[in-house]
Amino acid sequence: MFRNNYDNDTVTYSPTGRLFQVEYALEAIKQGSAAVGLTSKNHVVLVALKRNAEELGSYQKKIIKIDSHMGVALAGLAPDARVLSNYLKKKAMENKLIFDKQIQTYKAVLSIADKAQENTQGFGSRPYGVGLLIAGYDETGSHLFEFQPSGSVLEYFGAAIGARSQAARTYLERNLEIIQQETEVEKLIVHGLNALRDTLSQDVELTFKNTTVAVVGKDQEFITYDDEDVQQWLDKLDSVSNARNREEETEENTEENTHETNNEDNQDHPTNEDRMETDE
Amino acid sequence: MNGINVDINHLKKGEVNLGTSIMAVNFKDGVILGADSRTTTGSYIANRVTDKLTQIHDTIYCCRSGSAADTQAVADMVKYYLQIYSAQLPPGEKPTTNIAANVFQEICYNNKDNLTAGIICAGYDEKNGGSVYSIPLGGSIHQQEYAIAGSGSTFIYGWCNENYKPNMEQEQCIEFIKTALAEAIKWDGSSGGVIRMVILTKKGVERLIFYPDEYGVLTRKDDL
Amino acid sequence: MKSTNIYLTSIGTGYDLSNSVFSPDGRNFQVEYAMKAVENGGTSIGIKCKDGIVLACEKIINSKLLVPGKNKRIQTVDRHLGVVYSGLLPDGRHFVNRCREESQSFKSIFKIPIPVPNLLDRIGLYVQNYTCYNSVRPFGIVGIIGGIDDNGSHLYMVEPSGSFWGYSGAATGKGRQIAKSELEKLKFDDLNIKDAIKQAARIISLAHEDNKDKDYELEISWCSKEFTNGKHEFIPIELLEEAKKFAEEDEGDEDEDEEEGEGEGEGEGEDTEMN
């Protein structure tokens, strides 16, 4: 039943020092549909692909508002995300009560990081099975964090989680500099949708029913757009289906192959690297 | 006690009280603690040769006033904390008076509703020399050049303020304490017995005791 | 002895499947495996000198999308105390949180900042506890704790087993062997803190050699009576740039010297540790 003896629980290290149960929890994120987040100086945008269990069923909520200045997008087990976002809401309210101030994004995010870590070091509880992108705008500006069930939290300019999210990350990396310079929220959203579009499987298109958009930023409270409200941005896309699938419809391309091509194509690669070296 | 309604019956019926005159004074080479020796249960003197100067560490002592039971218990706790603490110090190092006083304060404050303890913590350490801390009833802490406490102290505030001098010689300081306590004992009904002193310096601990026929003369000569 | 040797006595015996279990020859394999998690993490080092301590770490950058200068790995426990760690980073946060609780608890009783040895005494007990029960796993980190108290500067390293030692120069993580051999060359008695910063940058840069295909970000913090008033802080940006430049220039020299010898030495060291 089990792949090896070391993956039964979170309290057993493998001989190489890995925690398989935690790694499997990370896999659970990939079972969920994709969510993408990106930042500019004054705004953070979250976009996500909603799924419905069946044709007549409603679509699963992918973005949860935490406070007027913060919200999360999820990929993976939605019930776990509800637990974590309730915790975030609680923390946000506590902060307001005690300090009469909105909670800083990093502080909120680290609180769930520590909570998630506890579930990886003790017997009898499982790690959370959900990844989160946390978008927030506070007195220190716009912030985007990626949360993982391992308890890891990292701050990104742009991030993507969920099924085929590597394609979205590739898009974000390629267009990082343009995205960061972007002053208009509208264009930031379009970039987000472009990235999200790259994660689509062959038979799916972005529609106003399966796409959800959220924005937070300077003078902009956290707001989520669904259904008809999303159409305005879908209209701005050159296409609502995955470019890769359009071009190579006949080709049987595996995920990995495509990524490699993408990376090789990537002309910005060396310049990006330089930037990371010098910035501190 | 809430500051408006003062509970004058804070001691349980029959509880032993250190109706007391205690003090500690910094001098040139360290610090000297002094106390009377009377312990009462109502109008009965339960012990007329009490030792109210209790050792906390090698050269850290405290003067206890209030409930005998409470102050003994608190002193025991501080002693325990300091043992744990000093076990972790590098070899040869000793805790400072400051540390001990702050532990007293923490315990007295956290249990203020259940304690009747007015404590003076004084000691000698290599880092600060002699130091005196007063921890009165509510659990606050005050570092002072000298401190007086207990029921008898109310009668000698003025005298001490007038006669205290910084950096006294040892003999001078002993005389200061002896005179002050003699005066306190004279006017306070619940202070009395002998005067005990502990001298804490670089050299270590030295104890002194003075009997009524000796210290009594100090106050009598003025009256006559 | 090859590095696979450790596994011959562990895998398949069943003694390595649960924490808190001794093997017949008296080892706790889960603790050793936790150490493996550390050995794959980015390098962290600490240097103790006369007038303070320096902590530094190599933060591997796995994505260009990460925000530079954020996601700090060196953390402050108390005003006078810093921690850096290698291994499972979320475990590191747990570790630091506990360090903070311990130093606050000390302060609440004694009203003075916790002396560094006292903190180690307490945190050592805490970490050790995680090797005693099969309901938990050991910490997947090695923590380097540095700070200043009334008795001067202190540097310690805590392992998943809960044991800790004082160091003049401490190193852990992937590049620890190179870092250790470089640290051993330093003259700690007459090293001043500004030189220590430069050395830290140089050593991290050398330790990164084996992992050159990945970018890294250098983090350095210090704690000094003279320069930071006894507080633990990240070094100012000018000092960081200066240190980086020093490391780069030195790297140029090193290349000409003996790159091969360095590599071999490291391999041998690795084996010795396994035995």
Side-chain angles (χ1 to χ4, degrees), chain B residues 124-138:
Chain B
Y124 177 87
D125 61 71
E126 287 296 326
K127 192 177 156 205
N128 307 301
S131 38
V132 174
Y133 293 85
S134 161
I135 300 110
L137 229 51

Side-chain angles (χ1 to χ4, degrees), chain A residues 13 19 22 26 110 112-121 146-154, chain C residues 37 72-73 75 85-98 126 137-141:
Chain A
Y13 284 101
L19 293 167
V22 177
L26 300 181
L110 289 179
I112 54 167
D114 294 343
K115 189 175 161 65
Q117 195 277 341
E118 288 172 22
N119 286 233
T120 71
Q121 207 173 1
E146 181 186 337
F147 160 87
Q148 292 192 331
S150 57
S152 140
V153 158
L154 294 169
Chain C
K72 291 290 188 204
R73 280 270 302 283
Q75 285 175 277
Y85 45 83
S86 296
L88 306 179
L89 303 186
D91 283 20
R93 286 194 49 78
H94 178 185
F95 178 79
V96 170
N97 286 339
R98 183 66 190 196
Y126 186 72
R137 62 172 172 81
F139 278 82
I141 55 146

Side-chain angles (χ1 to χ4, degrees), chain B residues 107-184:
Chain B
I107 294 169
C108 289
Y109 178 75
N110 285 332
N111 304 291
K112 62 192 294 179
D113 291 346
N114 304 312
L115 288 177
T116 310
I119 288 164
I120 298 171
C121 180
Y124 177 87
D125 61 71
E126 287 296 326
K127 192 177 156 205
N128 307 301
S131 38
V132 174
Y133 293 85
S134 161
I135 300 110
L137 229 51
S140 57
I141 185 166
H142 312 276
Q143 190 181 180
Q144 292 162 348
E145 274 306 296
Y146 76 92
I148 56 177
S151 54
S153 67
T154 46
F155 305 103
I156 54 169
Y157 270 85
W159 189 89
C160 288
N161 183 248
E162 206 53 33
N163 292 90
Y164 169 77
K165 287 175 202 69
N167 276 89
M168 285 184 275
E169 293 296 330
Q170 191 176 109
E171 285 311 314
Q172 206 182 350
C173 188
I174 291 171
E175 211 55 33
F176 172 71
I177 294 173
K178 204 199 294 177
T179 316
L181 289 179
E183 205 65 38

Side-chain angles (χ1 to χ4, degrees), chain A residues 6 13 117 120 123 155 157, chain C residues 16 30 65 71 135 137-138:
Chain A
Y6 303 100
Y13 284 101
Q117 195 277 341
T120 71
F123 191 82
E155 182 166 0
F157 288 128
Chain C
D16 68 337
Q30 278 295 310
L65 294 169
N71 308 314
S135 55
R137 62 172 172 81

Side-chain angles (χ1 to χ4, degrees), chain C residues 44-49 51-57 74 82 84 144-148 153-155 168-170 183 188 191-201 204 219-224 232-233 235 243:
Chain C
S44 305
I45 61 165
I47 299 176
K48 186 178 93 162
C49 36
D51 48 346
I53 59 105
V54 173
L55 300 177
C57 82
I74 301 178
V84 63
I144 298 176
I145 302 180
I148 294 186
S153 45
H154 300 266
L155 185 70
S168 297
L183 283 167
F188 294 100
L191 191 67
N192 72 50
I193 198 159
K194 289 214 167 163
D195 288 335
I197 287 174
K198 288 182 185 168
Q199 292 300 334
I204 289 287
E219 265 179 44
I220 305 182
S221 72
W222 63 346
C223 195
S224 139
H232 175 253
E233 289 171 348
I235 60 169

